[in-house]
Amino acid sequence: VIVPPWFHGLLLKDAKFVASGGGQAEATLRNGMIGEAAGFTVYKSNNVPNTTSTKYRIIAGHPMAWSFAEQVQSVEAYRPELRFADAVKGLHLYGAKIVRATALACLTANRPS
């Protein structure tokens, strides 16, 4: 599940989500992970969809709900102008798609004032 920062603030009021202060806990928090609840790993993100000024769409789901594919299509070596160096450039293609919509859930939450 991915929650907005204000929701993260509400979770911090709960003792279950307060970090213990270990090195691994700090690394986990740097990646946006807050903790776990009801079998979900909870992440914080500023990119949670905001439908209006106070309504946010919090999305939760199972990894089997989406598919991600990536491929390096072509790679080419070249010598850049104005430098004595070798360089490589390539075309990286990627995409994602929802393959099982039934494995996703959406909650519309109001931000408290």
Side-chain angles (χ1 to χ4, degrees):
V1 64
I2 303 168
V3 299
W6 62 266
F7 197 89
H8 172 236
L10 294 175
L11 289 175
L12 287 177
K13 293 179 181 178
D14 189 352
K16 296 176 194 173
F17 294 99
V18 177
S20 61
Q24 184 178 3
E26 290 178 18
T28 302
L29 289 173
R30 265 187 247 119
N31 292 328
M33 182 179 160
I34 300 169
E36 291 188 5
F40 288 101
T41 303
V42 183
Y43 291 95
K44 175 178 73 169
S45 174
N46 289 328
N47 296 323
V48 174
N50 184 357
T51 56
T52 64
S53 62
T54 60
K55 292 188 179 184
Y56 288 80
R57 292 194 178 187
I58 298 173
I59 300 170
H62 192 275
M64 74 177 183
W66 59 84
S67 177
F68 177 79
E70 64 180 331
Q71 171 183 350
V72 176
Q73 182 68 27
S74 61
V75 178
E76 180 180 309
Y78 71 101
R79 297 195 65 106
E81 295 181 28
L82 305 174
R83 296 198 185 267
F84 182 71
D86 293 326
V88 177
K89 61 182 174 180
L91 178 61
H92 181 213
L93 305 172
Y94 59 92
K97 183 174 183 177
I98 301 295
V99 291
R100 291 189 180 145
T102 56
L104 293 175
C106 181
L107 166 72
T108 303
N110 289 330
R111 183 178 185 169
S113 4

